[in-house]
Amino acid sequence: MSSPGSLGHSGQDHGGTGSVEPVPAVAFNNITKTFGAVTACDGVDLSVHRGRIHGVLGENGAGKSTLMKMLIGLVLPDSGSIAIDGTTQHIQSPLAAASLGIGMVHQHFSLVDALTVWENVALGEAGKLDPDAVRNRIGDIADQYGLMIDPDAQVGSLSAGLRQRVEIIKCLRRDPNIVIFDEPTSVLTPDESVQLFESLRHVVAAEGRAVVLVSHKLDEVLHATDDITIMRQGKVVDRLEAATADAPTLARGMVGREVSLRSERAALGVLDVSADPSDSAAKPSNPNDSAPVLRIQNATARGIGGVALLDDLSIELRAGEIVGVAGVEGNGQRELGDLLSSLLSLQSGTVSIDGVQVPDGKSGAMARAGIGVIPEDRHDSGIVLDMSLAENLVLVDQSAVARRGFIDGSALRDFAEKMIDEFAIQCSGPDAPMWSLSGGNQQRVVLARELSQQPKVLVAAQPTRGLDVGAIEYMGQRLEAAAEAGVAVLLISSELEEILDLAHRIVVMNSGRIVGEVDRADANLESLGLMMGGANA
Amino acid sequence: MSGTASGPRVGEWVVLYVVSVLAALVLSAILVQATGGQWRPVVNALLDGSIRNPGRIGETLGTAAPMLLVAIGTIISSKAGLINIGQEGQLFVGAAFATYFGFLIGGPGALNVVLILIFGAIGGALWAGVAAVLKYWRNVPEVLSTLLLVTVGGQLVAYGLSQSWLLLAPLADRGNRNQVSSQLAEGNRLPRLEISGNEIPFAVFLGIGLAIVVSLALSRTVWGFMLRMLGRNPRAAQRSGVAQTKYGATAIMLSGAFAGLAGAAMLAGGGFAFGNYQLVPGFSTNIGWTGLLVALVAREKALVAIPVAFVFAGLRTGSSFVGATGVEGRITDVIQGFLVLALLVPPAVMFLRDRKRARDAATERT
Ligand SMILES: Nc1ncnc2c1ncn2[C@@H]1O[C@H](COP(=O)(O)OP(=O)(O)OP(=O)(O)O)[C@@H](O)[C@H]1O
Ligand SMILES: [Mg+2]
């Protein structure tokens, strides 16, 4: 699996101490960074070489993003040094990093919703703007890396997957010769990520660039990278060559224990799913013919210019079933989530819970009716970054910790501590500001809140986004447990294998409508793929 | 930048403030010297006027009280993510309401004083409410409407002061003066407490009490929780049942109410600082603007606003003594400007840094 550019390397020495090795593009030397009582990075040594793609793996909160932010100048190390091409550099700001040719695609979006794609891409550029040049450049990058996008679309209207493309294009536009990707593919489809890394591999080899890829998808790391570093609790625990590694080893290295096959599959990507559809097919498709808990009837919503966001969409969910929503990103999945979060008003159609109609777009109505939502972009409506972890756990419903209009601090703290324990949220405590949590730990807070509220219906949109392998496994168990306890689960995911793993019934969305429905037992990747493409079933 | 507010952050704050205030003092000294004055007497005058001379502490406290009230209100609206910058107008309109209804109802003593304060708050709330209606009905940004309403409010009150059926005092009460209201009767004024030669106006206690109440309400109540959620992530708030229209309008109107209350307290509190218990043109004397600055420096913390208001008030009462040193009035204004800037620079620096680093690093793009 070695790239042509990597053939000349011995692969023996990745610590940067070797003498035959060329000077590494990036060398972290004994880097330590603490935040209060938390040691995010603890004496990290890591070298990234030109012409190679370097994967960084680790559990949620292992310190991967922190390490990368030191390279881009957003975080300053407490001790240790960073050398770029052999020269020690004190990178104090992203600007300084940019002048060294370092670019980064961040874990969370930093786009301006009100602007168009090309405006976002050009943002922060000095000098006179030439819109056409920017558009052309976007077109070139799109072609080269398979990241198709309409430069004139407004970013606010894009799905998470498309936004991710914009982030990547924005970074690549400046032709950085050291590129950092912090979980760039968590919302991209496996196909997209394959194409992206194929193209990157060529550029990296041909132009001698260096790439760091942080990811929780083991399969992706195995296929896309040359060298792999595994971090745990701020320390480097293992260095391997991708060519000689396999997924179970990586998973064990990250989590420190064996991880079950199923979560491996979820983390591995589509490739392995085709191998055994059988064991999850054994799951009984829901026999329950009781009245639906959630019923959406003929929902239609139009966006700016009359584009149909939801187009006469109808769907029913029964208690205890997990219904997977498959479909190419941007076909109304986000709007479906928004509708059930009271964030979207319908032009026509109704939503009802247990036969009672719930007003659409009315603040809090859906939540009060018993609909829990794990949104596809947690920063959008899932959490409030400037509030504490504990407060974020009771965003939607404070009744359990409130007494006569006052929030009972100790009740809140107790509840938070329980959740931190149960969901293994890594943090400095219940009062930690939400923004100080790592991406995966933020996601756990959302899960903890939505699951603990005992909803009637749970909408889980890309629920494993940003979670490490261990947490993905746990997430799946919790969703199944919720269903067994009688919750109707709507699983919206761009990862087919996740849906095939968990769902009893699968519906396919296209252009804002449901275009097909299959029982899990009858579903396979091919038929689903056809329906997703638009062929009616 | 460790995430927590304690630790090295406190040190940074102290250093920033010391440096920027020192810089302002040095600049001021240079300015005074360059224009032919002496800096030492100027500093003495500042201190004499604000705290050293007998009775001046009471005066400074009395000046600080309405600034504090305005600042508390500003903190409420900014917690909800709203930018109300029309306090100067809300204060003036509130004072006008207080005057009008105070005389309309008349009546004796304590009860009427309370009513005067309440009507002041109502006036300010209604005036801010205009901005709320424009925002939630017509999508007019509150930062524009509140500002424009300062001018409109000033015109309206001026009109009221020219009409004897509204605010203008009867001829007998105003001598040959135009555009003044009658004086509040002796029994309708806010009491003062005498402590070691200083008269402390009642509004001071009111302001401190309300600062504590608001601080608790914002941090401990479900209502405050919802308000903060709305301010920090409106979409999460919408999903969670914080109706933007209801909570947002409440926040704007409350902040107006505090400005109006400040106006009523200035009216009924009187004293050297705020005149003769009567409404006159220009009555608000920039207290609304200054209160806005106090809120800015206090960075959304109602309790911090208490000392900050005192410092701003001290600058004001102190400056009034500087004129006596022979330094020109305009120079005094510039010095005051320097010092106000010195107080605003550290929060601005920290804000920018917070955004660039801690927030950038961890938040917008973990
Ligand atoms: N600004 C900060 N203030 C306080 N703690 C922080 C800050 N930034 C990171 N941390 C803590 O440092 C640890 C490492 O965080 P980091 O974001 O590097 O993890 P990560 O490996 O990227 O995890 P994930 O896979 O979840 O994205 C976490 O415990 C996090 O809470
Ligand atoms: Mg991370």
Side-chain angles (χ1 to χ4, degrees):
Chain A
M1 209 49 242
S2 270
S3 76
S6 68
L7 289 177
H9 296 285
S10 69
Q12 291 297 332
D13 187 341
H14 303 282
T17 51
S19 48
V20 283
E21 286 276 316
V23 180
V26 179
F28 292 97
N29 297 314
N30 200 17
I31 290 277
T32 296
K33 176 73 200 179
T34 59
F35 296 104
V38 180
T39 304
C41 294
D42 190 355
V44 174
D45 288 309
L46 192 136
S47 301
V48 183
H49 292 272
R50 292 203 177 272
R52 294 176 80 87
I53 301 183
H54 195 120
V56 177
L57 283 171
E59 284 182 287
N60 292 135
K64 308 176 297 291
S65 295
T66 305
L67 189 66
M68 293 309 133
K69 281 186 230 160
M70 289 191 253
L71 189 49
I72 197 84
L74 280 170
V75 170
L76 305 180
D78 294 340
S79 66
S81 65
I82 300 175
I84 305 296
D85 292 321
T87 319
T88 301
Q89 302 279 1
H90 297 281
I91 306 171
Q92 305 268 358
S93 71
L95 236 63
S99 70
L100 291 166
I102 307 172
M104 176 159 174
V105 176
H106 292 269
Q107 187 171 358
H108 292 128
F109 300 141
S110 58
L111 301 170
V112 184
D113 280 358
L115 299 181
T116 63
V117 169
W118 77 263
E119 286 168 330
N120 265 288
V121 169
L123 211 65
E125 213 82 334
K128 200 159 165 282
L129 264 188
D130 180 354
D132 283 331
V134 181
R135 283 197 191 93
N136 287 338
R137 185 85 180 93
I138 293 175
D140 292 347
I141 298 174
D143 286 343
Q144 189 180 358
Y145 296 94
L147 299 165
M148 292 307 159
I149 190 101
D150 170 12
D152 293 306
Q154 203 190 327
V155 164
S157 68
L158 298 181
S159 67
L162 289 173
R163 283 166 192 241
Q164 186 67 68
R165 294 190 197 182
V166 181
E167 288 281 1
I168 297 174
I169 292 173
K170 194 173 151 185
C171 170
L172 292 177
R173 166 171 197 233
R174 290 169 206 187
D175 261 331
N177 62 60
I178 298 170
V179 196
I180 309 160
F181 289 103
D182 196 353
E183 300 189 29
T185 57
S186 55
V187 290
L188 293 188
T189 62
D191 286 347
E192 284 174 330
S193 86
V194 166
Q195 193 175 353
L196 172 66
F197 288 108
E198 288 286 309
S199 330
L200 261 180
R201 180 169 287 284
H202 290 302
V203 180
V204 164
E207 300 176 13
R209 300 199 206 181
V211 173
V212 183
L213 168 65
V214 178
S215 173
H216 290 296
K217 298 184 180 173
L218 304 184
D219 182 61
E220 177 178 286
V221 171
L222 280 172
H223 287 88
T225 67
D226 303 304
D227 309 307
I228 299 174
T229 297
I230 301 180
M231 290 179 72
R232 201 189 309 154
Q233 292 171 2
K235 290 196 177 73
V236 172
V237 293
D238 209 352
R239 296 187 176 85
L240 319 142
E241 277 231 24
T244 58
D246 60 19
T249 322
L250 294 184
R252 211 179 312 118
M254 278 169 67
V255 186
R257 63 175 168 90
E258 295 292 336
V259 182
S260 87
L261 184 72
R262 227 198 60 201
S263 83
E264 247 176 73
R265 267 214 328 272
L268 279 176
V270 185
L271 292 149
D272 289 6
V273 170
S274 45
D276 69 329
S278 47
D279 79 323
S280 31
K283 183 176 299 178
S285 83
N286 197 306
N288 190 345
D289 278 327
S290 54
V293 183
L294 170 74
R295 170 180 266 158
I296 302 178
Q297 276 176 308
N298 309 101
T300 299
R302 291 182 194 291
I304 326 153
V307 220
L309 304 171
L310 295 178
D311 184 9
D312 202 26
L313 177 139
S314 299
I315 194 172
E316 288 182 358
L317 255 72
R318 293 186 170 71
E321 70 172 345
I322 301 180
V323 174
V325 178
V328 178
E329 275 250 8
N331 275 290
Q333 294 96 326
R334 173 178 167 192
E335 285 73 17
L336 180 56
D338 281 356
L339 171 65
L340 296 174
S341 309
S342 304
L343 289 166
L344 180 78
S345 303
L346 293 176
Q347 260 80 44
S348 64
T350 57
V351 177
S352 44
I353 294 283
D354 285 337
V356 182
Q357 192 179 333
V358 185
D360 49 278
K362 178 166 180 278
S363 116
M366 298 288 174
R368 270 193 299 273
I371 304 181
V373 181
I374 300 163
E376 64 170 21
D377 178 2
R378 52 183 166 262
H379 284 185
D380 178 62
S381 62
I383 54 175
V384 183
L385 287 165
D386 286 312
M387 290 171 89
S388 74
L389 189 167
E391 288 177 320
N392 269 281
L393 283 168
V394 297
L395 272 195
V396 185
D397 181 5
Q398 305 81 27
S399 54
V401 295
R403 254 175 264 317
R404 278 192 248 110
F406 277 83
I407 295 205
D408 177 343
S410 67
L412 179 60
R413 175 173 281 272
D414 288 348
F415 175 65
E417 252 146 25
K418 198 175 129 226
M419 288 295 123
I420 289 171
D421 230 42
E422 187 176 335
F423 287 83
I425 300 167
Q426 195 187 330
C427 60
S428 56
D431 296 327
M434 200 61 187
W435 54 258
S436 75
L437 267 62
S438 81
N441 282 301
Q442 292 177 359
Q443 185 73 4
R444 291 169 193 227
V445 172
V446 178
L447 300 184
R449 181 186 63 225
E450 299 303 326
L451 286 168
S452 69
Q453 245 132 36
Q454 293 166 340
K456 289 180 183 157
V457 175
L458 179 63
V459 181
Q462 322 290 0
T464 52
R465 185 181 174 201
L467 295 183
D468 63 40
V469 272
I472 289 174
E473 177 187 24
Y474 184 61
M475 169 80 218
Q477 288 164 3
R478 289 299 300 240
L479 283 187
E480 282 175 334
E484 264 157 41
V487 179
V489 180
L490 189 66
L491 175 65
I492 305 175
S493 176
S494 55
E495 287 177 43
L496 276 183
E497 84 282 359
E498 190 167 275
I499 290 178
L500 288 170
D501 249 352
L502 294 169
H504 304 114
R505 189 155 67 85
I506 301 168
V507 297
V508 178
M509 261 188 109
N510 194 325
S511 308
R513 44 166 63 231
I514 302 289
V515 295
E517 174 175 339
V518 279
D519 221 62
R520 168 62 187 91
D522 311 326
N524 59 49
L525 285 173
E526 257 164 61
S527 63
L528 283 178
L530 273 177
M531 287 200 288
M532 284 165 62
N536 267 34
Chain B
M1 23 103 257
S2 55
T4 45
S6 56
R9 300 301 295 271
V10 176
E12 286 174 36
W13 277 106
V14 173
V15 170
L16 267 173
Y17 269 111
V18 168
V19 168
S20 76
V21 169
L22 267 182
L25 288 177
V26 169
L27 274 177
S28 305
I30 293 173
L31 181 71
V32 169
Q33 297 285 359
T35 51
Q38 294 285 318
W39 65 270
R40 213 177 271 281
V42 172
V43 171
N44 277 326
L46 267 177
L47 289 174
D48 288 345
S50 56
I51 45 178
R52 275 209 303 240
N53 276 15
R56 295 306 292 178
I57 288 185
E59 186 68 16
T60 302
L61 281 172
T63 311
M67 292 179 182
L68 175 60
L69 287 171
V70 170
I72 298 169
T74 311
I75 287 167
I76 295 177
S77 55
S78 60
K79 277 278 189 218
L82 297 161
I83 308 170
N84 175 10
I85 54 169
Q87 289 84 350
E88 184 80 3
Q90 291 145 17
L91 184 152
F92 198 21
V93 171
F97 255 65
T99 312
Y100 180 77
F101 286 101
F103 286 112
L104 190 72
I105 297 168
L111 178 65
N112 202 26
V113 183
V114 174
L115 283 178
I116 284 174
L117 293 180
I118 290 175
F119 276 113
I122 292 176
L126 289 178
W127 200 237
V130 176
V133 169
L134 287 172
K135 180 179 174 75
Y136 294 113
W137 179 48
R138 285 278 114 124
N139 265 328
V140 182
E142 75 283 359
V143 58
L144 288 182
S145 56
T146 50
L147 183 62
L148 290 176
L149 285 168
V150 174
T151 320
V152 179
Q155 303 288 345
L156 278 181
V157 178
Y159 174 78
L161 277 172
S162 69
Q163 303 295 315
S164 49
W165 60 279
L166 283 172
L167 296 168
L168 184 63
L171 199 55
D173 284 356
R174 63 184 158 98
N176 52 2
R177 293 174 69 197
N178 279 325
Q179 295 215 327
V180 294
S181 75
S182 301
Q183 254 190 346
L184 285 185
E186 197 91 28
N188 282 341
R189 299 173 185 174
L190 279 176
R192 284 153 187 254
L193 200 71
E194 174 122 8
I195 300 174
S196 59
N198 280 298
E199 287 185 2
I200 317 247
F202 174 76
V204 173
F205 305 104
L206 184 66
I208 293 176
L210 285 173
I212 295 171
V213 168
V214 166
S215 170
L216 282 177
L218 287 173
S219 61
R220 299 281 170 79
T221 66
V222 173
W223 176 79
F225 181 89
M226 299 214 153
L227 212 63
R228 285 183 287 133
M229 203 196 312
L230 176 63
R232 300 305 193 178
N233 187 343
R235 279 172 69 82
Q238 163 75 13
R239 158 149 195 261
S240 310
V242 184
Q244 184 156 1
T245 321
K246 184 173 138 202
Y247 282 83
T250 310
I252 295 190
M253 291 183 70
L254 263 179
S255 87
F258 272 92
L261 177 63
M266 283 159 66
L267 179 81
F272 312 92
F274 305 123
N276 255 333
Y277 308 97
Q278 64 189 165
L279 198 66
V280 295
F283 172 84
S284 47
T285 55
N286 293 337
I287 293 290
W289 300 122
T290 319
L292 185 59
L293 293 182
V294 171
L296 218 65
V297 173
R299 298 189 319 140
E300 296 198 355
K301 295 198 175 62
L303 294 181
V304 178
I306 299 174
V308 176
F310 186 79
V311 172
F312 273 87
L315 273 178
R316 193 169 158 126
T317 48
S319 309
S320 66
F321 271 39
V322 173
T325 61
V327 171
E328 231 187 292
R330 271 176 301 173
I331 302 288
T332 327
D333 288 346
V334 175
I335 294 177
Q336 207 183 339
F338 279 154
L339 289 170
V340 169
L341 268 182
L343 294 178
L344 288 174
V345 163
V349 169
M350 288 303 246
F351 176 77
L352 289 178
R353 255 200 37 185
D354 273 12
R355 272 207 97 67
K356 268 249 91 48
R357 274 272 162 56
R359 297 268 342 279
D360 246 23
T363 325
E364 277 141 57
R365 14 167 63 197
T366 291

